[in-house]
Amino acid sequence: MSRTDLFDLPLLPLLYDIASFPFVATSMAITRSILEREHSQTVLDVGAGTGSAALMLGHKFNVTGVEPSRSMREWAQVKGVQVLEGQAQDLPDSL
């Protein structure tokens, strides 16, 4: 099974959200304070997973998520978060 196949297992997004929530909640509180201090308005969430971080930041910032896993992107859409298909190495160097 390849790495891509592993990340497209049907239950993985649910398990990912359960396991990562404490970390995401804490790191987004820190990230939010840094973004506010820097007066940032736009965030690129690379490796957005199920969109939890984008959801937590989206009410105050313009967040674009990028994620290679189809099942993770679909789970993000269920939450109302738009996450684009892509990988970090495919992004332009100008970002």
Side-chain angles (χ1 to χ4, degrees):
M1 180 177 286
S2 73
R3 182 181 186 281
T4 303
D5 294 338
L6 176 66
F7 282 97
D8 278 330
L9 293 172
L11 289 178
L12 184 64
L14 176 61
L15 297 173
Y16 176 88
D17 274 354
I18 292 168
S20 67
F21 180 77
F23 170 75
V24 171
T26 302
S27 64
M28 285 308 97
I30 295 166
T31 300
R32 200 170 24 254
S33 68
I34 293 168
L35 292 169
E36 289 170 351
R37 186 183 68 223
E38 298 297 322
H39 305 290
S40 298
Q41 296 177 357
T42 304
V43 176
L44 178 61
D45 184 6
V46 179
T50 62
S52 295
L55 191 62
M56 291 181 189
L57 293 174
H59 69 282
K60 222 171 181 183
F61 304 95
N62 179 19
V63 181
T64 300
V66 177
E67 170 62 43
S69 168
R70 178 186 44 79
S71 63
M72 295 287 209
R73 289 191 313 273
E74 288 172 354
W75 195 258
Q77 284 184 314
V78 168
K79 295 178 183 179
V81 177
Q82 181 64 38
V83 177
L84 306 173
E85 180 179 4
Q87 297 183 29
Q89 64 265 31
D90 298 331
L91 295 171
D93 292 338
S94 60
L95 292 177

